[in-house]
Amino acid sequence: MTTALARITELLPHRDDLAQMRRDPRRDLLAGLTVAVVALPLALGFGVSSGLGAAAGLATAVVAGALAAVFGGSNLQVSGPTGAMTVVLVPIAAKYGPTGVLTVGLLAGLMIVALAVARAGKYMQYVPAPVVEGFTLGIACVIGLQQVPNALGVAKPEAENTVVAAGQALAEFARHPNWTAIGLAVAVAVVMLSGARWRPTVPFSILAVIAATVVAQVADLDAAKPIGALPPGLPAPSLAFLDLGALSSLLPSAVAVAALGALESLLSASVADGMTVGQKHDPDRELLGQGLANIAAPLFGGVPATGAIARTAVNVRSGAGSRLAALTHAAILALIVFAAAPLVSKIPLAALAGVLLATAIRMVEVGSLKAMARATRSDAVILVLTAMATLALDLVYAVIIGLVVAGALALRAVAKQARFDQVPLDRGDHSVEEHALLAEHIVAYRIDGPLFFAAAHRFLLELTEVADVRVVILRMSRVSTMDATGALVLKDVVEKLNRRGIAVMTSGIRPGQRRVLDSVGALGLLRLEGREYATTPEAIKAARDHLEVAGILPTVSVQKNHVTSEETVR
């Protein structure tokens, strides 16, 4: 407990954070205003999509956005409700209701804090780029499909699978077309996409939503269903939603939400670092900030939050230099909640669907996908598989599948680097006739690269098929790594060759590999036979002595070989 508290203390805000906020407050305030304008329709839309309503999205953006800005590990990260998290929350809301989502968010926050204390943030760097790209592509597709019912102006189907739900919504639209809703959604999406190309710095999302709302009100478009009434402010913090009896059934969902929250937040912070010069986030502190944000958000009725890549990118492009910008974004959204709730409640759901459709389209980086697909066949397979798993299963399973496949392909590539080459015996001080006689009975193999589970069995197959020799010398100075499987296979090789009457000598075993060999008894077997040597010349001399004892070679006085380089020795 003391160690955990000490680690949390190390991750708390520093004086440097306050000093950075004082450097250029005007620039940060303007950046925060810009992000708030962009974040408002997204917070509303993701709140509606999650199943808890627009008020939950706003509460998340305010509470989680402020806490993550203060306690997070990035000066530029903007947090709030995101599309990726919404994808995970929809089935949870359908199965357990709003209280289940709030409980999952609280549990996930505690788990993320535990990850921060365990210093797990550094492991983000091991997620391969194809997994991230496939994950992002799959999320974009799911977000787009989730908006189909609202964009078509039909009731949201009960199906849990997003593809099935979108198909059912299309069938309902075909029976009862709502051209008003689809017209608003398409118009908002087109304005956002075309406006972003024409004037990237202008917040066309909020302009398009305002225009759609005005048109719906002035023209009295009954078919354009609005968000509905919003509470004039944040609710008082409460744990009334917590059902201790349901914790065990909600735990798997909480693990999924925590994994996604940690992954997406660290990915977003890394993207922010790449867009700037001199900024570098603290991954463990970022996890602490996101964990605290997710613990607090459910108390105010908010959904789980993560770092938001799109809003973070807007923050960076707007000139933000400190966490004051993200705090300003949260404060402005809070002001909107308290002062403009009646106006916000009139925004058509179809307009928010258009915002999210445009967001999903902009998430897909075609150039990056093409580059990844052309890089190697393995990268293309990982990307496509992760994207398909995201659509068919869920985001956490998709990432796990992507990581497992990427790991398997990487191991396959590393295993191919392992080589087992037969090398000629060094002539040394032997006569030509003597060397020829030795070569008839002794074969030497040099093992290059890793000797581990993915390559060890090929090694076993090659060596146990050796024939017509009395001694095998294994030169092991070039073995880069060895695991227990490799050591067991080596032991198996020695035993099988010994049973055939073939002696095995080894040379050049590195200190780091001795412990592995000793743990499975391979080193003890070699020592028992007296056949483990530091250098190759020593192993060759021992092999000759063995042949002389066996009566295969005549006893001849041989001078000690002169070694001129480490390669000859080993």
Side-chain angles (χ1 to χ4, degrees), residues 418-487:
R419 295 173 53 195
F420 315 107
D421 298 326
Q422 185 176 344
V423 293
L425 297 177
D426 180 55
R427 288 185 179 274
D429 295 325
H430 303 298
S431 65
V432 175
E433 295 80 5
E434 189 179 32
H435 181 79
L437 189 59
L438 288 172
E440 289 180 7
H441 300 285
I442 302 173
V443 62
Y445 281 89
R446 182 173 60 217
I447 308 174
D448 287 353
L451 184 59
F452 70 134
F453 69 92
H457 294 288
R458 179 161 59 92
F459 165 69
L460 172 66
L461 182 63
E462 289 187 22
L463 280 182
T464 52
E465 289 182 350
V466 67
D468 301 326
V469 296
R470 293 299 184 94
V471 180
V472 170
I473 297 176
L474 302 179
R475 301 172 63 176
M476 301 180 61
S477 63
R478 291 190 178 184
V479 175
S480 57
T481 186
M482 181 186 298
D483 66 357
T485 303

Side-chain angles (χ1 to χ4, degrees), residues 122 214 263 312 408 419:
K122 59 186 176 184
V214 171
L263 179 67
T312 299
R419 295 173 53 195

Side-chain angles (χ1 to χ4, degrees), residues 325-378:
L327 274 172
T328 302
H329 135 272
I332 292 173
L333 290 178
L335 183 63
I336 292 172
V337 169
F338 284 99
L343 296 177
V344 172
S345 66
K346 299 181 184 298
I347 297 175
L349 290 174
L352 293 181
V355 171
L356 299 185
L357 284 170
T359 301
I361 293 172
R362 292 174 64 178
M363 285 177 66
V364 180
E365 297 286 346
V366 178
S368 179
L369 292 175
K370 286 183 177 179
M372 201 66 62
R374 292 172 181 169
T376 66
R377 184 179 299 177
S378 296

Side-chain angles (χ1 to χ4, degrees), residues 48 54 150 184 213 216-217 221-229 342-352:
V48 171
N150 283 337
L184 288 175
T213 304
Q217 292 297 312
L221 301 178
D222 295 333
K225 184 180 178 182
I227 290 175
L343 296 177
V344 172
S345 66
K346 299 181 184 298
I347 297 175
L349 290 174
L352 293 181

Side-chain angles (χ1 to χ4, degrees), residues 480-498:
S480 57
T481 186
M482 181 186 298
D483 66 357
T485 303
L488 283 170
V489 166
L490 180 63
K491 179 184 178 182
D492 197 19
V493 166
V494 174
E495 291 175 340
K496 287 184 176 181
L497 292 178
N498 285 346

